[in-house]
Amino acid sequence: MNPQTLSLRALLFLGLWHAGRRGLASAPELRDQPKKIAVVGAGIGGTAAAYFLRQEFGAGVKIDVFESGTVGGRLATVKIGDYEYETGGSMIHPLNLHMKHFIEKLGIPPRKEVSSKMAIFDGKELMFEESDWFIVNVFRMLWRYGFNFLRMQMWVESVLDKFMRIYQYQQYGYSFSSVKTLLHAMGGDGFLALMNQTLEETMIGEGFSQIFLNDIVAPITRANYGQSVRIHGFVGAVSLAGADSGLWAVDGGNKRVCSGLLYNSKSELIPARVTSIAVRVRPSKKGTTASFYEVSYVGESGSAHSLYDIVVIATPLHQGKYDITFSGFSPPIPSHYPGHYHQTVSTVVHGLLNTSYLGTAEPASEFTVSDVLTTDSKGSVISSLISLNPVHIPAGYTQPPASQAKVWKVSSSQPLSQEQLQNMFLSWDSVSETRWLAYPAYRSPHRKTPPFILHNRLYYLNAVEWAASAMEMSAISARNVALLAHHRWHGQVGKIDQEDLHTRLRGEL
Ligand SMILES: Cc1cc2nc3c(=O)[nH]c(=O)nc-3n(C[C@H](O)[C@H](O)[C@H](O)COP(=O)(O)OP(=O)(O)OC[C@H]3O[C@@H](n4cnc5c(N)ncnc54)[C@H](O)[C@@H]3O)c2cc1C
Ligand SMILES: *[C@@H]1O[C@H](CO)[C@@H](O)[C@H](O)[C@H]1NC(C)=O
Ligand SMILES: *[C@@H]1O[C@H](CO)[C@@H](O)[C@H](O)[C@H]1NC(C)=O
């Protein structure tokens, strides 16, 4: 053995020994897992956070999930006759991998597919109606819009390609401290630039025609986000992906994923409204001090409070409805961040559609359009009109034509007046209205996005909605916040906000 290898070995040994020592010295801190974690909100974001937090912190930690309303949040159903129908978040993209993973893990099947047929209403008549013949649709579209359609598909696909990188990063345990660094890791400056421009500006810049934007793109953004092509480019791309084929939903209702994740994560559901969160400092056993979060809440049996090591806020800090007060923080944490949420009213009607309202001369018995999108015209009160299928498709089910009473969902930004309903429907036997504060009112250029990290161990999941609001976005944010909470707890800064992950991980595929 020559001396060089020896010293190398010795060095290596020393190095290892040293690392071992360091490991030992900080071991109590390392092994000290958090004891209690609170999650505020049991929508898909909060329940996914509970699931991923359990994954990160193991079986020993107690996870409490507070919910003031119903588990599922913006995923909700309404019962009409014998069946239930989605009134909130309804469709999931085939490449939404977290949502896919959840239903596989929980053993819930996707809902059986029912064919659909789309039309576009300009406020007077149906300017486009999908044919049963695929080739007819292709020719109609080519005739009117040239290759805009194909180009749109390619553009959305290129955004989606980059978007998908997040799954690999998360698989390797990487997390991001802000919406900006998360987007940048996926799509570089290009993604940040998307948030800086309207969808309209972005697409005109990419060479799409204004008529294509008005006739096709606007109806899609109106149907998905109740807003025009002036939303920013990133949420616009997400919205267009929402017009892809192969969209799916969860059998029995999307909200089943939330209750499933709660159960799977062995968290405790506390049916109460969180009113305030305060930071408290307590002396610890070791003679030093430790800080906790005191969560105050109001439930059926009155008000109470508990201390937590980590808190995840999984509800928008924007609505005026359930304000949470933050006290004792410096710098202070506001109850509301700038901007507001867009109202979308879902009116679910079981009745007979007045097909003349859509300006069609087709007899109702032959009118089989299921999804009516609308252009951004002055007089248009509705953003979409969808023939709903039940959350569970019974055997032998087919969508009846418009000549039969069936369940329609009208989406609008204002509640429908009696007069408007009477105009749209010849008759009905039930109407159920849900007023959602549905998703952010997107502006461009986008103002400062709220932070994921509100304080040392206090996290805000719904900041992600300002990039785009969707079930999968909340799930991605949930995983990110769980990783972030874990890495920050253990001081593993190497797993936070790493630059250039895409190139670094390329070899690992
Ligand atoms: C009409 C509509 C259609 C949509 N369509 C789609 C779609 O097709 N596809 C898609 O992917 N997404 C869609 N979305 C968006 C999607 O539904 C949301 O992005 C997603 O459900 C948000 O989930 P979340 O858990 O982050 O928030 P939420 O679901 O809002 O969950 C927050 C929960 O916190 C609770 N809470 C609030 N304050 C407190 C408090 N102080 N204490 C305790 N609990 C509290 C609330 O009751 C709520 O249950 C749609 C949304 C709407 C409204
Ligand atoms: C966004 O726009 C602002 C102001 O126009 C500009 O200063 C900034 O560089 C832009 N950011 C990106 C990522 O394009
Ligand atoms: C159906 O719609 C047409 C067009 O809006 C309207 O003129 C007619 O009055 C409506 N029918 C009923 C019964 O309300």
Side-chain angles (χ1 to χ4, degrees):
M1 194 180 280
N2 76 46
Q4 222 181 332
T5 30
L6 184 77
S7 61
L8 235 170
R9 280 191 166 201
L11 258 175
L12 210 61
F13 172 75
L14 270 169
L16 283 175
W17 177 77
H18 195 73
R21 281 269 302 189
R22 207 169 43 219
L24 269 180
S26 55
E29 221 172 82
L30 259 180
R31 258 191 251 122
D32 247 8
Q33 290 279 24
K35 290 186 181 60
K36 283 180 77 186
I37 303 179
V39 177
V40 184
I44 187 65
T47 56
Y51 173 83
F52 289 126
L53 285 164
R54 175 67 70 210
Q55 213 168 58
E56 290 306 315
F57 288 104
V61 60
K62 179 166 177 3
I63 303 176
D64 288 344
V65 180
F66 292 90
E67 174 54 60
S68 58
T70 324
V71 172
R74 275 172 274 170
L75 308 182
T77 58
V78 61
K79 190 159 186 186
I80 292 176
D82 292 335
Y83 299 108
E84 288 192 36
Y85 300 86
E86 300 280 0
T87 66
S90 48
M91 300 315 292
I92 306 167
H93 193 273
L95 291 176
N96 285 172
L97 300 190
H98 285 319
M99 290 303 292
K100 246 175 138 162
H101 166 77
F102 293 155
I103 64 161
E104 277 159 20
K105 185 89 192 171
L106 299 172
I108 308 173
R111 180 172 72 173
K112 240 193 314 181
E113 253 182 273
V114 179
S115 65
S116 64
K117 196 164 143 187
M118 191 264 285
I120 296 172
F121 179 52
D122 68 2
K124 291 193 187 71
E125 57 180 6
L126 296 180
M127 46 173 281
F128 172 77
E129 191 178 328
E130 206 179 340
S131 156
D132 292 331
W133 301 91
F134 174 73
I135 198 74
V136 173
N137 293 322
V138 171
F139 276 118
R140 276 187 195 159
M141 286 297 172
L142 273 178
W143 179 252
R144 203 169 152 89
Y145 306 109
F147 286 100
N148 276 282
F149 251 103
L150 197 64
R151 291 251 303 282
M152 177 169 85
Q153 234 157 2
M154 283 162 59
W155 182 64
V156 172
E157 212 167 292
S158 74
V159 173
L160 205 55
D161 261 356
K162 294 186 179 122
F163 183 91
M164 300 295 287
R165 292 174 183 169
I166 189 64
Y167 298 113
Q168 193 197 13
Y169 302 161
Q170 295 193 329
Q171 195 65 41
Y172 281 92
Y174 290 100
S175 61
F176 304 93
S177 67
S178 69
V179 174
K180 203 174 143 201
T181 55
L182 187 143
L183 288 186
H184 192 267
M186 292 195 268
D189 292 340
F191 268 24
L192 296 182
L194 281 177
M195 284 195 54
N196 229 4
Q197 281 190 318
T198 65
L199 177 64
E200 186 171 32
E201 288 161 353
T202 309
M203 292 187 78
I204 295 286
E206 296 271 335
F208 291 91
S209 72
Q210 189 68 52
I211 174 168
F212 182 71
L213 269 135
N214 298 346
D215 290 3
I216 303 294
V217 179
I220 295 173
T221 59
R222 286 168 60 79
N224 287 333
Y225 288 105
Q227 296 167 65
S228 75
V229 288
R230 260 96 58 204
I231 61 178
H232 64 71
F234 185 79
V235 67
V238 169
S239 180
L240 294 180
D244 271 350
S245 57
L247 299 184
W248 57 282
V250 178
D251 187 56
N254 295 329
K255 66 178 183 186
R256 281 181 75 193
V257 173
C258 303
S259 43
L261 289 174
L262 261 186
Y263 180 80
N264 184 282
S265 68
K266 298 192 165 62
S267 330
E268 184 176 345
L269 176 67
I270 301 181
R273 178 166 62 89
V274 170
T275 51
S276 73
I277 297 173
V279 66
R280 293 270 180 263
V281 180
R282 291 277 154 91
S284 77
K285 276 177 259 157
K286 282 171 269 171
T288 56
T289 58
S291 66
F292 297 94
Y293 297 112
E294 184 180 85
V295 173
S296 304
Y297 53 96
V298 184
E300 269 192 359
S301 50
S303 50
H305 52 79
S306 315
L307 291 179
Y308 295 92
D309 298 301
I310 296 173
V311 177
V312 174
I313 311 282
T315 183
L317 292 175
H318 281 90
Q319 288 139 306
K321 268 205 285 188
Y322 299 123
D323 283 2
I324 300 171
T325 320
F326 296 93
S327 61
F329 293 95
S330 150
I333 301 171
S335 292
H336 301 138
Y337 282 90
H340 70 275
Y341 269 56
H342 180 85
Q343 173 174 271
T344 289
V345 182
S346 299
T347 310
V348 180
V349 180
H350 182 250
L352 265 180
L353 186 71
N354 174 10
T355 49
S356 326
Y357 175 83
L358 299 174
T360 174
E362 267 177 278
S365 59
E366 278 158 41
F367 190 77
T368 52
V369 168
S370 58
D371 299 21
V372 181
L373 313 190
T374 64
T375 58
D376 202 354
S377 60
K378 265 255 150 27
S380 53
V381 273
I382 64 169
S383 42
S384 66
L385 169 70
I386 311 279
S387 163
L388 289 185
N389 299 309
V391 295
H392 177 74
I393 309 291
Y397 174 88
T398 52
Q399 271 221 3
S403 54
Q404 294 175 32
K406 58 174 176 170
V407 177
W408 294 92
K409 179 175 85 174
V410 188
S411 301
S412 53
S413 57
Q414 293 304 318
L416 298 176
S417 66
Q418 202 63 12
E419 206 180 326
Q420 286 165 332
L421 265 178
Q422 269 162 5
N423 217 355
M424 265 176 244
F425 294 93
L426 300 171
S427 65
W428 61 82
D429 44 46
S430 85
V431 177
S432 145
E433 180 192 272
T434 314
R435 298 184 190 186
W436 294 108
L437 283 173
Y439 13 68
Y442 294 105
R443 297 257 182 290
S444 174
H446 178 66
R447 281 180 286 187
K448 223 171 149 260
T449 311
F452 283 141
I453 304 172
L454 299 180
H455 188 247
N456 294 345
R457 288 164 279 111
L458 174 60
Y459 300 94
Y460 178 35
L461 190 148
N462 292 73
V464 84
E465 286 191 71
W466 291 85
S469 174
M471 294 173 231
E472 186 72 7
M473 292 303 290
S474 286
I476 286 173
S477 190
R479 177 103 197 245
N480 182 60
V481 159
L483 288 167
L484 202 54
H486 175 269
H487 301 335
R488 283 166 59 85
W489 182 270
H490 291 296
Q492 295 167 352
V493 290
K495 289 281 191 178
I496 303 171
D497 289 341
Q498 289 297 305
E499 296 279 341
D500 224 14
L501 275 180
H502 176 60
T503 8
R504 279 167 50 195
L505 293 180
R506 196 176 285 157
E508 314 234 9
L509 266 173

Short mmCIF file of all heavy atoms in Angstrom, two decimals, residues 41 47 77 100 222 229 231 320 354 414 431:
data_model
loop_
_atom_site.label_atom_id
_atom_site.label_comp_id
_atom_site.label_asym_id
_atom_site.label_seq_id
_atom_site.Cartn_x
_atom_site.Cartn_y
_atom_site.Cartn_z
N GLY A 41 -58.40 23.82 6.23
CA GLY A 41 -59.14 23.61 4.99
C GLY A 41 -59.05 22.17 4.53
O GLY A 41 -57.96 21.59 4.49
N THR A 47 -56.39 18.35 1.99
CA THR A 47 -56.36 16.90 2.21
C THR A 47 -55.13 16.28 1.53
O THR A 47 -54.53 15.35 2.06
CB THR A 47 -57.66 16.22 1.72
OG1 THR A 47 -57.87 16.54 0.35
CG2 THR A 47 -58.86 16.68 2.54
N THR A 77 -71.02 18.40 -4.78
CA THR A 77 -72.09 17.88 -5.63
C THR A 77 -73.44 18.34 -5.10
O THR A 77 -73.57 18.76 -3.95
CB THR A 77 -72.08 16.33 -5.65
OG1 THR A 77 -72.23 15.86 -4.31
CG2 THR A 77 -70.80 15.79 -6.24
N LYS A 100 -54.34 11.47 -10.58
CA LYS A 100 -54.35 10.08 -11.04
C LYS A 100 -53.83 9.15 -9.95
O LYS A 100 -54.40 8.10 -9.67
CB LYS A 100 -53.44 9.97 -12.27
CG LYS A 100 -54.18 9.64 -13.55
CD LYS A 100 -53.20 9.66 -14.69
CE LYS A 100 -53.42 8.53 -15.64
NZ LYS A 100 -52.74 8.85 -16.93
N ARG A 222 -63.69 31.44 -21.04
CA ARG A 222 -64.96 31.77 -20.36
C ARG A 222 -65.54 30.53 -19.68
O ARG A 222 -66.04 30.61 -18.56
CB ARG A 222 -65.96 32.35 -21.36
CG ARG A 222 -65.64 33.77 -21.78
CD ARG A 222 -66.49 34.20 -22.97
NE ARG A 222 -67.93 34.15 -22.70
CZ ARG A 222 -68.58 35.09 -22.02
NH1 ARG A 222 -67.95 36.13 -21.55
NH2 ARG A 222 -69.88 34.97 -21.81
N VAL A 229 -60.01 36.60 -22.63
CA VAL A 229 -58.63 36.30 -23.04
C VAL A 229 -57.63 37.28 -22.44
O VAL A 229 -56.44 37.20 -22.73
CB VAL A 229 -58.48 36.28 -24.58
CG1 VAL A 229 -59.16 35.06 -25.16
CG2 VAL A 229 -59.05 37.55 -25.19
N ILE A 231 -56.96 37.24 -19.31
CA ILE A 231 -56.27 36.55 -18.21
C ILE A 231 -54.80 36.37 -18.62
O ILE A 231 -54.49 36.45 -19.81
CB ILE A 231 -56.90 35.17 -17.89
CG1 ILE A 231 -56.83 34.24 -19.11
CG2 ILE A 231 -58.32 35.35 -17.41
CD1 ILE A 231 -57.39 32.85 -18.86
N GLY A 320 -63.63 37.43 1.71
CA GLY A 320 -64.03 38.11 2.92
C GLY A 320 -64.77 37.20 3.88
O GLY A 320 -65.04 37.56 5.02
N ASN A 354 -85.11 25.65 -23.62
CA ASN A 354 -85.73 26.36 -24.74
C ASN A 354 -84.67 26.47 -25.83
O ASN A 354 -83.83 27.35 -25.80
CB ASN A 354 -86.18 27.75 -24.25
CG ASN A 354 -86.70 28.61 -25.38
OD1 ASN A 354 -86.91 28.14 -26.50
ND2 ASN A 354 -86.90 29.89 -25.07
N GLN A 414 -73.08 36.47 -12.65
CA GLN A 414 -74.14 36.97 -11.77
C GLN A 414 -75.22 35.90 -11.65
O GLN A 414 -75.43 35.13 -12.58
CB GLN A 414 -74.75 38.25 -12.36
CG GLN A 414 -73.80 39.45 -12.40
CD GLN A 414 -73.24 39.79 -11.03
OE1 GLN A 414 -73.97 39.76 -10.02
NE2 GLN A 414 -71.94 40.06 -10.95
N VAL A 431 -84.30 23.87 -9.29
CA VAL A 431 -83.20 24.78 -9.59
C VAL A 431 -82.33 24.85 -8.34
O VAL A 431 -82.85 25.05 -7.24
CB VAL A 431 -83.70 26.20 -9.91
CG1 VAL A 431 -82.52 27.15 -10.13
CG2 VAL A 431 -84.60 26.20 -11.13
#
